[in-house]
Amino acid sequence: MKVICIHHRLAGLTSHHFNEAHGFAREFDRRGKKFVLMVNHHAPAHIVAELNAHAVLDDPTFRMEWSFEERSRRFVDMLHRNVDRRVRAGDCVLITISTQLEAHALTRWLQELPGRKKPWIVILFLSDRWNRSGRDEYERQIAEFRTLNAAIASLTPEDARKMLFFAVTDLLAEELSGLLGTRVDYAPMPLPYVDPQLFPTAKRELDLPRVAILGGTRREKGSYLIPEIVRACRSHVQVEFVVHLTNNTLTAEELEKLERLTGEPDVILIRQPMTLPEFYATLKSADIALFPYEVIPYRKRTSGVFGESVAFGKPVVATPGTWLAEQIEAGRAAGVISEDLEPDSIARAVARCVAELEPLTRSAQALSPEWRRTISLSAFVDLIETQIALRSQNEHPTRRWWWPRLPLRRKSRERDR
């Protein structure tokens, strides 16, 4: 089997795209499978070279001046131009950052391929974007899902067998199963991990507990609250903050407030995208990882930085109602959940975490091995290989739901939207 990975938004070091692609290349090489990586044509030459990638892709997904049909058609055309000549039946086309647009395009592309070229297609959804911006945006995206649902329903049984849909949380998988009209299974985050001991600890100027807020600064991550959280902490606990400031969706005013933290004695701002060794060294140097995330975007969505923090054995502070808080409540991660999303409440949660830092750190380190085993890129690849093997056993499916239904990882709880 050859694995062709579609990473059309990978154009730099920001987000987890680079880390994930780097991990997939190592993982499939270890398993003796050829790995072909396709990234955005804007990716810098040194990144393309390091990943041994093909920088040939565009990203029409969020070009909202075009209709859903037009964006889908452009994506299908892009697949024909760049993937057709490389793919054969039995190969696997993998996309781990899918929305309904990419899923629709891949469904149509599979229908248009000749039988000798039809691969397995693995589609991973990361988030429920349609639930974030009010009724009008919800209805617009639900109409797109109806189009995707109809396309999936029009597949032949043989083509339907070739498409595997996954989501990174149980709640998201459950909702998507209804929207797509076909089974969507839970899959662990495809996070590659390293041994923290392989990286030096970043230099520390102050002998204070260090709180890290890493990853891109976005409004949905509560990044606009960071200045107020820093100031609120001074009334409750003495800590040092290290903040990764690579702006994504903050307004100019919000960004300016963040930048005013420059030069304050208890704050370190990292302004440039970090290489993997720099990121790991910074995470290793922290005592606590803080996630002041908003609830709606992170109720059914995971966080890569959170996953890496748990894998590194770090206590975490999270906001209530999020998937992150759920991991603490379930005993899969060690840390503290704030009472609400107000800066003072988050500061009190940081103070509680500092007060219990030694036992929480011991607990975090004890939980790390199980997290690394079950929530990882290797576990994700194990799952898709198992699913493909199961489907390969049935060459002539007679009904749409012929394949074995894997149980959800846990019973999901109904919550208000």
Side-chain angles (χ1 to χ4, degrees):
M1 177 189 290
K2 175 168 70 267
V3 179
I4 301 173
C5 184
I6 307 298
H7 242 308
H8 52 299
R9 293 190 201 117
L10 200 168
L13 292 175
T14 56
S15 81
H16 277 81
H17 301 331
F18 177 87
N19 189 17
E20 179 187 283
H22 194 268
F24 273 132
R26 296 197 313 270
E27 184 68 20
F28 285 117
D29 180 67
R30 183 179 70 82
R31 294 174 186 241
K33 290 181 170 62
K34 184 176 180 181
F35 180 67
V36 178
L37 175 64
M38 296 185 181
V39 301
N40 193 281
H41 65 90
H42 290 302
H46 70 279
I47 288 179
V48 174
E50 184 172 351
L51 294 173
N52 192 27
H54 302 273
V56 295
L57 302 181
D58 195 6
D59 184 10
T61 310
F62 302 112
R63 296 290 298 274
M64 303 311 295
E65 68 271 25
W66 299 328
S67 68
F68 185 72
E69 176 60 31
E70 174 67 11
R71 286 178 282 141
S72 292
R73 184 189 65 77
R74 288 173 179 265
F75 207 104
V76 171
D77 290 347
M78 180 176 70
L79 292 171
H80 281 310
R81 285 195 309 272
N82 297 292
V83 183
D84 283 17
R85 66 182 182 274
R86 295 182 170 94
V87 73
R88 296 290 184 272
D91 289 344
C92 175
V93 172
L94 169 65
I95 185 166
T96 58
I97 51 171
S98 185
T99 69
Q100 60 269 29
L101 187 284
E102 291 91 342
H104 183 247
L106 283 160
T107 302
R108 287 179 48 183
W109 175 68
L110 180 66
Q111 288 177 308
E112 295 174 8
L113 286 175
R116 61 185 172 81
K117 284 185 170 290
K118 291 181 184 286
W120 299 99
I121 296 180
V122 174
I123 296 174
L124 179 67
F125 287 86
L126 299 181
S127 64
D128 57 331
R129 295 175 180 272
W130 54 94
N131 286 327
R132 299 186 200 173
S133 303
R135 176 54 57 179
D136 289 345
E137 179 62 14
Y138 176 81
E139 292 296 344
R140 184 190 70 78
Q141 293 199 47
I142 291 304
E144 296 176 348
F145 272 107
R146 292 192 193 102
T147 302
L148 171 57
N149 185 308
I152 294 171
S154 71
L155 291 170
T156 66
E158 178 63 20
D159 283 352
R161 184 172 67 93
K162 293 284 188 178
M163 300 200 70
L164 293 80
F165 295 97
F166 297 100
V168 290
T169 70
D170 295 330
L171 287 173
L172 183 56
E174 186 176 40
E175 183 174 10
L176 281 166
S177 293
L179 291 172
L180 271 60
T182 192
R183 182 151 182 97
V184 179
D185 280 307
Y186 161 80
M189 284 187 289
L191 286 176
Y193 299 130
V194 297
D195 182 353
Q197 301 308 315
L198 297 176
F199 297 89
T201 303
K203 184 178 179 182
R204 298 177 64 152
E205 299 292 340
L206 302 176
D207 187 23
L208 293 173
R210 174 174 283 190
V211 179
I213 309 176
L214 303 180
T217 41
R218 301 179 189 171
R219 185 167 187 83
E220 63 191 15
K221 291 184 174 183
S223 301
Y224 64 98
L225 295 174
I226 291 175
E228 296 177 61
I229 292 170
V230 169
R231 296 183 182 105
C233 276
R234 291 172 181 150
S235 300
H236 297 283
V237 64
Q238 277 195 302
V239 293
E240 178 186 48
F241 284 90
V242 56
V243 180
H244 190 198
L245 176 55
T246 56
N247 189 35
N248 191 308
T249 59
L250 298 186
T251 66
E253 181 181 359
E254 290 166 343
L255 182 60
E256 181 184 357
K257 289 181 180 179
L258 252 179
E259 290 176 335
R260 288 177 194 161
L261 293 174
T262 301
E264 295 201 16
D266 53 355
V267 180
I268 300 170
L269 287 183
I270 302 174
R271 297 173 176 274
Q272 73 285 353
M274 288 190 281
T275 64
L276 291 180
E278 289 170 340
F279 173 81
Y280 292 137
T282 303
L283 179 57
K284 182 181 177 181
S285 75
D287 299 295
I288 298 166
L290 172 60
F291 302 91
Y293 291 4
E294 294 186 344
V295 176
I296 291 176
Y298 284 93
R299 185 166 68 92
K300 300 182 180 181
R301 180 184 184 182
T302 61
S303 163
V305 179
F306 179 93
E308 288 169 323
S309 300
V310 177
F312 263 58
K314 302 295 179 181
V316 292
V317 174
T319 44
T322 60
W323 171 87
L324 299 80
E326 187 179 287
Q327 307 313 299
I328 299 172
E329 291 168 342
R332 290 188 285 268
V336 175
I337 303 169
S338 63
E339 295 174 358
D340 52 48
L341 276 67
E342 293 299 316
D344 194 66
S345 176
I346 294 170
R348 291 196 300 271
V350 171
R352 293 200 304 274
C353 194
V354 170
E356 302 174 33
L357 190 55
E358 288 189 15
L360 283 174
T361 299
R362 288 195 299 270
S363 179
Q365 291 172 350
L367 291 169
S368 171
E370 178 65 10
W371 182 275
R372 285 172 170 262
R373 187 183 69 81
T374 58
I375 313 291
S376 69
L377 188 143
S378 294
F380 174 81
V381 175
D382 285 343
L383 174 62
I384 65 174
E385 287 188 343
T386 299
Q387 282 277 42
I388 289 173
L390 287 170
R391 296 188 181 200
S392 297
Q393 292 172 8
N394 190 329
E395 293 296 333
H396 303 287
T398 58
R399 61 190 179 93
R400 193 173 181 187
W401 291 100
W402 71 271
W403 54 82
R405 292 190 177 195
L406 298 186
L408 292 179
R409 188 166 51 93
R410 60 165 179 80
K411 183 177 177 62
S412 55
R413 299 191 301 273
E414 288 296 328
R415 301 178 186 177
D416 293 335
R417 176 171 294 160

